[in-house]
């Protein structure tokens, strides 16, 4: 067996555990080993103290260190850290005037842009809680999240794609005010003028009433604000919605302590970043916890320049890397697939990129090898969940990367595999079980979901619902998921949400949605539909019906109509037969393709 903790190392980690409030390490035995220690990179101490702080201090401290350095590049318009810091302070005071304090939820329904960064840190500095909203959501999805989270203020852009959906929430939910940000004001001067004139049809008319607060009014103050006293373990910095382990969207309550601890863990893991010198490509959406932590917060903590892209467009991404000489790219497998498939890849210089991390979905070994061969950049895979802020494991940068492994635990993070039938039993390494994680980044609970919380975080251990094993070197491999979640291009897509939308069609009797492999997005939804007697519907007609009821990410790639859908012995719709059937189809096609 590989070396495990001695008494001194275990005692040190138990003291750290007591400080952070998570379960102390157990005695090292063949059933509960810690073999990842022998595989740890030489310059990283797994047992190091994980520093924590109120999250808004990330911005304050970087402004003090690198005030004149560029902070944001948005479509060619640049902002220094001092400029962004001043706007954060003014917006924080503006939010305070609107009543934002401890417990008040402020929603951000924005693509990657300067407004998102400013308002994120401003809400935290005012003492409130940020609630991230996917701007691709349809009104029904936004309304459900507003009502569940008790969001009272929402920040969005004056674009036709966003504002009308937000405006409707003023009538249908408990939302009371919208902060309206003007797109033209964050563009370079000439682009801003052209946008306001040539793109007028894409802009919304904004009422002048107390329910609408222009961003210019929000920041119309001196910015003198006293930051609140923060309880690192009790004050919720972020309410991040996720399907968790059940597929039902719920808010993960991430404290200032959780998020700042994960920031410190990631910072230790990528310790070779040069403070004040790096340039991060911000193509991952910041409303997603992966982009929020690995790009926005990490970039700001290191005094890096954030090169923001409001959406992923391959040509724009390649040109932006070349124009800005970016050094760090965080992405999901679909982004790396698109890059190596670019027909004009040889025409672009990507040589300045030195750090690439993939997450959000499994990274195929062939994709990793192909990307490294074509670009010369080392690509590593990590693993995380919203419930752990989100990063828990990663392959070492520049170290051993085992094929199809999600890596080893980050500093201060413990990993166990529990028996699938008895979650109190820890299985030896090499045996399959449910992946469980403990560390200072693990959330305390879900928002207003006690039953799900009690079943997910048990004695400080996050039960992930993922099935896998740990090898002798401490590397973790996943083989299956207990949950029905579909990982589509790095986004969580919940079959239940798609099923509910399809069931609103008057001609539908039953529906089952599963995820099937997709070369580009990793997985894509497929719907199996049974119609009511006498009804007739085509795949195109169903997709047209769903267009205003589902986001593009959730839209089923395939819709198959059947006379009957499989059921269990007690009459419940059953997915496993369809999953097996789709797998058999793929195997048959693969065998036929391999025949001479």
């Amino acid at each position: 067996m590989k070396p495990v903790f001695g008494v001194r190392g275990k005692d040190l980690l138990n003291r750290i555990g007591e400080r952070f409030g998570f379960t102390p390490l157990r005695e090292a035995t063949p059933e509960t080993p810690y073999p990842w220690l022998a595989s740890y990179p030489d310059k990283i101490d797994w047992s190091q103290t994980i520093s924590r702080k109120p999250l808004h201090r990330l911005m304050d401290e970087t402004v003090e260190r690198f005030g004149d350095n560029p902070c944001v590049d948005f479509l060619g318009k640049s902002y220094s850290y001092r400029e962004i810091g001043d706007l954060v302070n003014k917006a924080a005071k503006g939010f305070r005037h609107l009543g934002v304090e401890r417990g008040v939820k402020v929603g951000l329904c924005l693509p990657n842009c300067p407004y998102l960064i400013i308002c994120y840190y401003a809400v935290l500095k005012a003492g409130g809680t940020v609630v991230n909203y996917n701007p691709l959501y349809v009104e029904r999805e936004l309304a459900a999240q507003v009502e569940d989270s008790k969001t009272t203020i929402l920040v969005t852009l004056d674009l036709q794609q966003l504002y009308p959906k937000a405006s409707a929430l003023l009538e249908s939910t408990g939302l009371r005010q919208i902060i309206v940000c003007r797109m033209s004001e964050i563009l370079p001067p000439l682009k801003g003028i052209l946008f306001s004139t040539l793109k007028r049809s894409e802009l919304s008319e904004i009422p002048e009433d107390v329910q609408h607060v222009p961003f210019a009014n929000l920041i119309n103050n001196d910015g003198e604000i006293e930051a609140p006293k923060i309880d690192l373990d009790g004050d919720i910095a972020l309410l991040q919605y996720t399907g968790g382990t059940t597929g039902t969207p719920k808010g993960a309550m991430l404290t200032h302590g959780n998020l700042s601890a994960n920031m410190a863990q990631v910072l230790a893991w990528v310790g070779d970043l040069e403070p004040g010198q790096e340039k991060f490509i911000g193509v991952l959406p910041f409303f997603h916890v992966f982009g929020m932590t690995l790009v926005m917060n990490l970039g700001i903590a290191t005094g890096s320049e954030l090169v923001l892209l409001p959406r992923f467009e391959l040509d724009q991404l390649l040109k932006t890397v070349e124009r800005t000489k970016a050094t760090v790219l965080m992405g999901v497998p679909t982004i790396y697939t698109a890059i190596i498939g670019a027909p004009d890849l040889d025409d672009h210089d990507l040589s300045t990129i030195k750090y690439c991390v993939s997450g959000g979905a499994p990274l195929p070994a062939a994709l990793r090898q192909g990307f490294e061969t074509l670009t010369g950049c080392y690509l590593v895979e990590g693993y995380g969940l919203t419930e752990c802020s989100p990063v828990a494991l990663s392959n070492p940068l520049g170290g051993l990367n085992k094929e199809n492994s999600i890596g080893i635990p980050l500093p201060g993070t413990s990993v166990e595999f529990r028996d699938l039938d008895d979650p109190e039993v820890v299985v030896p390494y090499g045996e399959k079980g449910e992946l469980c994680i403990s560390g200072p980044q693990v959330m305390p609970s879900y928002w207003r979901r006690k039953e799900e919380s009690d079943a997910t975080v048990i004695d400080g251990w996050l039960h992930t619902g993922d099935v896998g094993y740990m090898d002798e070197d401490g590397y973790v491999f996943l083989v299956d998921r207990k949950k029905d979640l579909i990982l589509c291009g790095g986004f969580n897509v919940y079959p239940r949400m798609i099923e509910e939308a399809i069931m609103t069609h008057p001609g539908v009797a039953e529906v089952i949605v599963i995820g099937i492999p997709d070369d580009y997005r990793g997985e894509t939804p497929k719907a199996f539909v049974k119609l009511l007697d006498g009804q007739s519907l085509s795949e195109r007609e169903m997709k047209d019906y769903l267009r205003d009821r589902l986001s593009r990410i959730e839209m089923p790639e395939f819709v198959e109509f059947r006379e009957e859908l499989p059921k269990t012995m007690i009459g419940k719709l059953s997915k496993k037969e369809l999953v097996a059937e789709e797998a058999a189809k793929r195997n048959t096609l693969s065998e036929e393709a391999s025949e001479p």
Side-chain angles (χ1 to χ4, degrees), residues 333 337 358 361-370 379 381 403-404 518-519 522:
T337 298
S358 179
L363 178 69
L367 172 56
R368 179 175 65 83
Q369 294 163 2
L379 175 62
E381 180 176 8
E403 192 168 301
N404 297 320
D518 181 87
D519 290 339

Side-chain angles (χ1 to χ4, degrees), residues 17 82 219 238 281 288 319 331 429 454 515 542 547 580 585:
R82 185 164 288 107
I219 61 172
L238 179 70
I281 289 291
H288 191 286
K319 289 179 178 178
Y429 62 75
D454 291 345
M542 175 57 77
R547 208 163 304 281
K585 286 182 184 178

Side-chain angles (χ1 to χ4, degrees), residues 229-548:
K229 293 182 180 179
I230 297 295
D231 178 351
L232 295 178
D233 297 310
D235 285 340
I236 307 305
L238 179 70
L239 201 57
Q240 185 75 32
Y241 275 75
T242 174
T245 59
T246 65
T248 303
K250 59 185 74 68
M253 298 166 61
L254 301 178
T255 67
H256 283 263
N258 292 148
L259 291 167
S260 61
N262 200 222
M263 188 70 272
Q265 292 169 310
V266 172
L267 197 57
W269 195 253
V270 294
D272 290 338
L273 291 179
E274 298 181 46
Q277 301 297 315
E278 308 294 349
K279 295 184 179 183
F280 280 62
I281 289 291
V283 67
L284 286 174
F286 292 171
F287 59 78
H288 191 286
V289 69
F290 182 15
M292 180 201 69
T293 294
L294 269 294
V295 182
M296 185 175 75
N297 287 343
L298 178 61
I300 287 171
T302 55
S304 303
E305 182 176 7
L306 302 178
V307 182
L308 306 185
L309 296 174
R311 68 179 66 86
F312 170 57
E313 294 177 354
L314 178 59
D315 186 59
Q316 182 186 43
L317 172 63
L318 296 176
K319 289 179 178 178
T320 300
V321 170
E322 196 166 21
R323 173 179 67 83
T324 62
K325 294 181 171 53
T327 60
V328 180
L329 175 62
M330 307 290 186
V332 293
T334 52
I335 290 177
Y336 298 114
T337 298
I339 290 174
I340 66 174
D344 59 345
L345 184 61
D346 291 339
D347 297 334
H348 297 281
D349 181 9
L350 306 183
S351 61
T352 58
I353 295 286
K354 57 183 180 181
Y355 293 103
C356 285
V357 175
S358 179
L363 178 69
L367 172 56
R368 179 175 65 83
Q369 294 163 2
F371 182 84
E372 292 177 349
T373 300
L374 286 173
T375 66
C377 182
Y378 206 57
L379 175 62
V380 301
E381 180 176 8
Y383 171 89
L385 301 94
T386 300
E387 292 85 348
C388 53
S389 306
V391 192
L393 301 100
S394 177
N395 282 280
L397 287 160
L400 174 63
N401 278 232
K402 292 195 176 186
E403 192 168 301
N404 297 320
S405 172
I406 58 173
I408 56 181
L410 261 59
T413 304
S414 297
V415 168
E416 292 181 347
F417 283 89
R418 304 289 184 90
D419 187 273
L420 296 177
D421 296 318
D422 186 351
E424 293 187 2
V425 175
V426 179
V427 301
Y429 62 75
E431 292 188 16
K432 293 179 183 177
E434 180 183 8
L435 172 61
C436 296
I437 300 168
S438 177
Q441 72 271 50
V442 172
M443 69 170 191
S445 63
Y446 292 119
W447 167 252
R448 301 171 64 203
R449 297 287 194 281
K450 186 179 187 307
E451 185 175 341
E452 291 95 328
S453 299
D454 291 345
T456 303
V457 182
I458 305 173
D459 295 330
W461 287 88
L462 173 66
H463 291 240
T464 68
D466 288 321
V467 179
Y469 63 93
M470 181 186 294
D471 72 7
E472 293 182 348
D473 299 316
Y475 281 75
V476 172
F477 299 79
L478 298 183
V479 297
D480 200 357
R481 289 199 303 275
K482 290 173 68 176
K483 50 200 173 190
D484 293 330
L485 176 67
I486 302 171
L487 290 174
C488 189
F491 289 92
N492 292 351
V493 174
Y494 312 121
R496 178 175 172 179
M497 299 295 288
I498 303 174
E499 291 165 351
E500 288 178 352
I502 292 174
M503 285 301 296
T504 63
H505 191 289
V508 172
E510 295 174 339
V511 60
I512 293 176
V513 173
I514 65 171
I516 62 173
D518 181 87
D519 290 339
Y520 180 63
R521 297 199 289 177
E523 287 184 302
T524 193
K526 179 173 181 178
F528 296 85
V529 178
K530 176 185 176 182
L531 297 175
L532 293 169
D533 291 343
Q535 295 292 318
S536 177
L537 201 63
S538 69
E539 183 177 40
R540 174 50 52 197
E541 288 171 334
M542 175 57 77
K543 289 184 177 181
D544 288 343
Y545 173 79
L546 295 173
R547 208 163 304 281
D548 293 330

Side-chain angles (χ1 to χ4, degrees), residues 85-107:
D86 287 344
L87 289 169
V88 167
N89 288 335
K90 290 179 178 181
K93 189 165 186 176
F95 279 121
R96 188 75 65 75
H97 287 159
L98 294 177
V100 175
E101 58 184 6
R102 189 175 191 270
V104 174
K105 313 297 190 306
V106 179

Side-chain angles (χ1 to χ4, degrees), residues 57-255:
R57 285 192 191 168
L58 287 180
M59 178 64 75
D60 292 341
E61 292 172 358
T62 301
V63 170
E64 290 179 9
R65 294 182 65 196
F66 302 108
D68 295 328
N69 283 24
C71 174
V72 171
D73 176 313
F74 182 66
L75 302 179
K77 184 172 182 178
S78 182
Y79 301 76
S80 71
Y81 267 98
R82 185 164 288 107
E83 288 174 318
I84 293 294
D86 287 344
L87 289 169
V88 167
N89 288 335
K90 290 179 178 181
K93 189 165 186 176
F95 279 121
R96 188 75 65 75
H97 287 159
L98 294 177
V100 175
E101 58 184 6
R102 189 175 191 270
V104 174
K105 313 297 190 306
V106 179
L108 305 183
C109 187
L110 296 162
N112 287 4
C113 65
Y115 291 123
L116 191 153
I117 297 172
I118 294 164
C119 290
Y120 178 89
Y121 286 101
V123 170
L124 298 179
K125 198 164 192 176
T129 296
V130 171
V131 184
N132 277 329
Y133 286 80
N134 185 338
L136 297 177
Y137 275 176
V138 295
E139 182 186 330
R140 172 180 59 83
E141 294 169 308
L142 293 174
Q145 189 171 319
V146 167
E147 288 293 271
D148 185 76
S149 65
K150 305 302 180 186
T151 295
T152 56
I153 299 173
L154 189 72
V155 184
T156 195
L157 289 170
D158 62 345
L159 300 179
Q160 279 287 345
Q161 293 173 308
L162 296 179
Y163 171 74
K165 294 187 293 187
S167 177
L169 301 176
L170 290 171
E171 301 296 328
S172 63
T173 72
L175 188 71
R176 59 180 176 84
Q177 281 183 310
I178 299 176
I179 309 297
V180 183
C181 305
R182 296 200 176 278
M183 183 70 182
S184 60
E185 294 179 1
I186 53 173
L187 296 173
L190 180 57
K191 284 184 179 179
I193 294 171
L194 292 174
F195 187 87
S196 296
T197 54
L198 301 180
K199 300 287 188 179
R200 186 176 297 276
S201 63
E202 298 181 16
L203 299 174
S204 293
E205 292 292 330
I206 310 300
E208 296 182 6
D209 57 34
V210 295
Q211 289 186 303
H212 295 81
V213 179
F215 181 79
N217 290 5
L218 182 76
I219 61 172
N220 186 22
N221 58 69
D222 59 14
E224 296 292 330
I225 181 171
E226 183 178 349
K229 293 182 180 179
I230 297 295
D231 178 351
L232 295 178
D233 297 310
D235 285 340
I236 307 305
L238 179 70
L239 201 57
Q240 185 75 32
Y241 275 75
T242 174
T245 59
T246 65
T248 303
K250 59 185 74 68
M253 298 166 61
L254 301 178
T255 67

